[in-house]
Amino acid sequence: DRTPGAIMAVELSSSEVEPLLAGFTNGEVQLICISSPSSVTASGDEPAILILGESLKYHNIFHRKLSVNAAHHSKHMTLMSDDLSKRTLKVAQK
């Protein structure tokens, strides 16, 4: 699966955001960080993160998709590490 990943900051507590994340399956979106009692960070598949953003916008909840090169603390990191391992092996074999 090469779905791009994304990260979003959300101005909700972990207990407030969990019901919103419950609708996502297979690690599409995960709570990755509790930044403060009223702010969390979610990570996962970019299409799912965008859907989460639309839901938050509808409910007038502050959120921001972060500008990052990887969806840290998600399944996307495993995909990156697998790719990096393959590239490193190729270099080591030369």
Side-chain angles (χ1 to χ4, degrees), residues 9-26:
V10 180
E11 193 173 292
L12 288 175
S13 70
S14 60
S15 62
E16 292 170 323
V17 79
E18 284 175 359
L20 296 174
L21 301 183
F24 297 98
T25 59
N26 300 322

Side-chain angles (χ1 to χ4, degrees), residues 1-65:
D1 179 15
R2 290 293 181 182
T3 303
I7 297 179
M8 181 172 283
V10 180
E11 193 173 292
L12 288 175
S13 70
S14 60
S15 62
E16 292 170 323
V17 79
E18 284 175 359
L20 296 174
L21 301 183
F24 297 98
T25 59
N26 300 322
E28 289 175 313
V29 179
Q30 301 171 45
L31 176 64
I32 62 165
C33 179
I34 300 171
S35 304
S36 75
S38 61
S39 178
V40 299
T41 306
S43 179
D45 296 345
E46 185 174 38
I49 290 288
L50 295 174
I51 291 168
L52 174 63
E54 288 300 316
S55 176
L56 295 166
K57 180 179 177 181
Y58 177 80
H59 293 288
N60 201 30
I61 297 167
F62 175 82
H63 62 286
R64 177 170 293 141
K65 184 174 173 270

Side-chain angles (χ1 to χ4, degrees), residues 84-94:
L84 182 60
S85 293
K86 288 176 188 173
R87 289 174 188 231
T88 304
L89 184 59
K90 285 181 184 177
V91 170
Q93 290 174 343
K94 289 184 177 181

Side-chain angles (χ1 to χ4, degrees), residues 58-90:
Y58 177 80
H59 293 288
N60 201 30
I61 297 167
F62 175 82
H63 62 286
R64 177 170 293 141
K65 184 174 173 270
L66 304 179
S67 178
V68 296
N69 61 357
H72 304 288
H73 306 288
S74 74
K75 65 183 180 184
H76 295 275
M77 293 306 295
T78 302
L79 294 173
M80 287 181 65
S81 67
D82 290 348
D83 187 47
L84 182 60
S85 293
K86 288 176 188 173
R87 289 174 188 231
T88 304
L89 184 59
K90 285 181 184 177

